[in-house]
Amino acid sequence: MSDIKSVAIGVGIFLFVHIITWFQLNGQFFSEWFKNNNFILALFGIPISLLYIYGTKYCYEGFGGLVWPGRFIRFACGTVVFAVLASLVLNEGLTAKTGVSLIMATLLVGIQIFWK
């Protein structure tokens, strides 16, 4: 049985940290600042890691001590954030393959949250 509040907090943290991570890793492709400040960006790895740890903790608690549901949710959040930001920021667009991947990521999260 899942505690929806803890799961929601975990998902929120994962979405936020995946956005930060996306810019940390892909900012070099559209910003000179990101391209020229690798060390500063690497320092962001510490708070980013802490956010991943807290997101994992909340999902673990929310799913009654199970780690796999949180892992799938973390993966799905990363897939969705990556697809949206690659499309919006880098103008890569959504291909049919990416669309199917997003649908599968959504199904994966739904299964973990709603399948009892």
Side-chain angles (χ1 to χ4, degrees):
M1 182 90 66
S2 63
D3 169 19
I4 198 70
K5 181 179 176 185
S6 292
V7 172
I9 292 169
V11 168
I13 291 171
F14 285 145
L15 288 171
F16 178 68
V17 73
H18 276 294
I19 291 168
I20 295 169
T21 302
W22 190 91
F23 281 99
Q24 179 194 35
L25 300 176
N26 297 296
Q28 62 184 320
F29 304 126
F30 60 86
S31 167
E32 286 299 315
W33 187 89
F34 279 89
K35 192 181 292 185
N36 297 324
N37 290 285
N38 290 332
F39 184 75
I40 293 171
L41 290 170
L43 292 176
F44 280 95
I46 295 169
I48 286 170
S49 294
L50 286 171
L51 287 169
Y52 279 117
I53 290 167
Y54 283 117
T56 301
K57 172 185 172 257
Y58 278 105
C59 283
Y60 178 82
E61 290 172 357
F63 286 107
L66 300 173
V67 294
W68 273 109
R71 173 64 187 112
F72 288 132
I73 287 175
R74 189 169 53 249
F75 164 76
C77 288
T79 300
V80 170
V81 166
F82 189 92
V84 169
L85 290 177
S87 180
L88 293 176
V89 178
L90 297 177
N91 298 314
E92 288 193 14
L94 293 176
T95 64
K97 181 170 72 172
T98 303
V100 170
S101 296
L102 290 173
I103 291 168
M104 291 172 59
T106 303
L107 289 172
L108 189 61
V109 171
I111 288 168
Q112 292 302 314
I113 291 175
F114 299 113
W115 188 330
K116 303 295 180 207

